[in-house]
Amino acid sequence: MSDQQAPLKVLIVKLSSLGDVVHTMPAVMDIQAAFPHAQIDWVVERSFAPLAARCAAVHRVIPCDLRRWRKGFFKAETRGQTRTEWQSFKTDLQQEAYDVILDLQGLTKSALVAWLARKVKGGKRYALANRTEGSGYERSTRWVADEAVPISPHIHAVDRSRVLCAKALGYEVPAHMNYGLGEAAKQRKLSVALVHGTSRADKEWPLANWFEIGTRLKQQGFDVALPHGNEAERMRSLALADVLPNAVVWPRLSLDQLAAEMAQCTGVIGVDSGLSHIAVALDLPHVQIYNFDTAWRTGPEGMTRQCSVVDCPTPSVDAVWDAWLSCLHAKGTSA
């Protein structure tokens, strides 16, 4: 597809989750690089909307609350309000007619949104043609699409969206990867954020290991920052702060505020979680800890000062520390 006099209007449908939203940003930036005057809008769950809006290529974010609405439709006390909010969302979604609608999620809920979105005459809806390893996929996405794009089953989460967009719009995937969040702050605080929270217990790293890493960081002159996303993570942060002198427990922050705070840090050490993926997007020195080998699919890719450490049942403190020192002193941003 060649560039046009009128701006190419593109709709991205990637609703959740946090890590998936971050992993979509390079694809959005690729489209802007191929079509500099494109108008790129993004439908995303409301809780992730402030972060999606920080992506430099995004023109408009269209927030939705599909998770909440699905429950609200079945409760008499919330059904009326849910219908009102649903109608408001559809009106917002259908303000524009798009040349290209890209369902990058491959689920029934994203297919529904793509189907509701308006196309210009001759416009197309694109979606995944097949499941890829470790990712959810529902065939309804193919029924809605005008064209289903086949993707290699063994592919990194970032590359999955980048390849689909490139095939749909007819350009080569750029060699350089850009998340569109900008570089980390030039004048950074001498602090390292420890991202200990994750949505799954089997991804956690032992509290004693976090204490040991925090102690070593303090001995090297770094302060320790402790973000959290829920009450259980806040209590863990407080427990670590009790034994790590001068550790700072961040207040509960929105995702865009968390991204802004993390950008001020020297670097991040974290488990496989959305916040760790934000650290990657911010181009910070970063070590991502994995208790099983899914790092090939979601871990830092092609970066010189970011890496994954993988071991079962869990990586050792020494392995994580050695990786941190290597990332901290690496030069440049990409391989």
Side-chain angles (χ1 to χ4, degrees):
M1 183 179 294
S2 60
D3 207 351
Q4 306 168 10
Q5 287 186 345
L8 182 74
K9 293 185 178 180
V10 179
L11 182 68
I12 301 293
V13 181
K14 187 74 166 189
L15 307 176
S16 60
S17 58
L18 176 53
D20 291 338
V21 169
V22 176
H23 288 149
T24 301
M25 291 177 176
V28 178
M29 296 301 296
D30 289 349
I31 295 171
Q32 186 189 57
F35 301 92
H37 301 295
Q39 174 186 313
I40 306 171
D41 296 348
W42 189 341
V43 187
V44 68
E45 283 281 346
R46 188 174 302 275
S47 58
F48 307 126
L51 185 64
R54 289 179 66 96
C55 181
V58 174
H59 172 261
R60 182 170 73 109
V61 171
I62 305 169
C64 67
D65 288 295
L66 284 181
R67 290 174 173 176
R68 182 169 59 83
W69 291 335
R70 279 184 298 185
K71 298 176 182 178
F73 274 122
F74 295 101
K75 296 181 179 179
E77 63 272 21
T78 58
R79 190 174 298 129
Q81 180 64 27
T82 299
R83 284 175 177 167
T84 299
E85 293 177 3
W86 172 249
Q87 290 298 327
S88 178
F89 163 68
K90 287 201 296 182
T91 299
D92 194 17
L93 175 65
Q94 294 171 350
Q95 279 183 27
E96 295 273 8
Y98 294 95
D99 300 289
V100 178
I101 298 169
L102 294 157
D103 176 2
L104 302 184
Q105 193 129 35
L107 300 176
T108 299
K109 62 181 181 180
S110 57
L112 172 62
V113 172
W115 176 71
L116 286 171
R118 291 197 302 127
K119 298 185 297 181
V120 300
K121 185 178 180 180
K124 278 192 174 184
R125 293 183 179 92
Y126 294 89
L128 292 159
N130 57 279
R131 182 188 303 274
T132 60
E133 292 179 37
S135 297
Y137 182 77
E138 293 168 349
R139 291 186 63 85
S140 52
T141 191
R142 295 191 63 174
W143 304 336
V144 169
D146 297 303
E147 187 171 331
V149 180
I151 301 291
S152 170
H154 188 82
I155 192 169
H156 193 280
V158 171
D159 294 333
R160 184 173 86 154
S161 292
R162 296 184 82 195
V163 169
L164 191 155
C165 292
K167 286 186 175 182
L169 277 78
Y171 60 83
E172 295 294 325
V173 176
H176 176 68
M177 185 162 58
N178 180 10
Y179 284 82
L181 292 185
E183 296 182 356
K186 300 299 183 183
Q187 296 296 324
R188 298 181 195 160
K189 301 174 184 177
L190 278 175
S191 64
V192 177
L194 301 185
V195 177
H196 55 80
T198 178
S199 59
R200 286 172 41 182
D202 60 350
K203 292 183 178 182
E204 292 177 357
W205 206 40
L207 198 63
N209 290 5
W210 287 118
F211 167 71
E212 177 61 27
I213 283 291
T215 300
R216 295 188 189 188
L217 288 168
K218 294 295 294 184
Q219 291 171 349
Q220 293 290 321
F222 292 106
D223 292 326
V224 170
L226 297 166
H228 55 87
N230 56 43
E231 184 60 20
E233 292 174 12
R234 187 180 77 88
M235 296 305 295
R236 193 182 303 125
S237 290
L238 290 172
L240 283 167
D242 282 342
V243 293
L244 290 172
N246 300 320
V248 176
V249 178
W250 285 350
R252 186 73 175 271
L253 301 170
S254 65
L255 288 175
D256 56 328
Q257 291 171 329
L258 276 167
E261 286 294 321
M262 288 174 65
Q264 302 291 323
C265 292
T266 299
V268 176
I269 300 173
V271 292
D272 174 20
S273 74
L275 292 188
S276 286
H277 300 312
I278 291 175
V280 174
L282 290 169
D283 192 29
L284 291 166
H286 171 54
V287 177
Q288 206 162 118
I289 300 167
Y290 285 82
N291 297 335
F292 33 81
D293 191 13
T294 54
W296 69 267
R297 183 171 57 86
T298 58
E301 183 185 38
M303 313 300 281
T304 59
R305 59 182 184 184
Q306 300 171 348
C307 70
S308 303
V309 179
V310 184
D311 205 352
C312 183
T314 197
S316 69
V317 172
D318 285 341
V320 172
W321 182 250
D322 289 345
W324 163 251
L325 293 178
S326 177
C327 290
L328 180 63
H329 298 301
K331 295 181 180 180
T333 59
S334 60

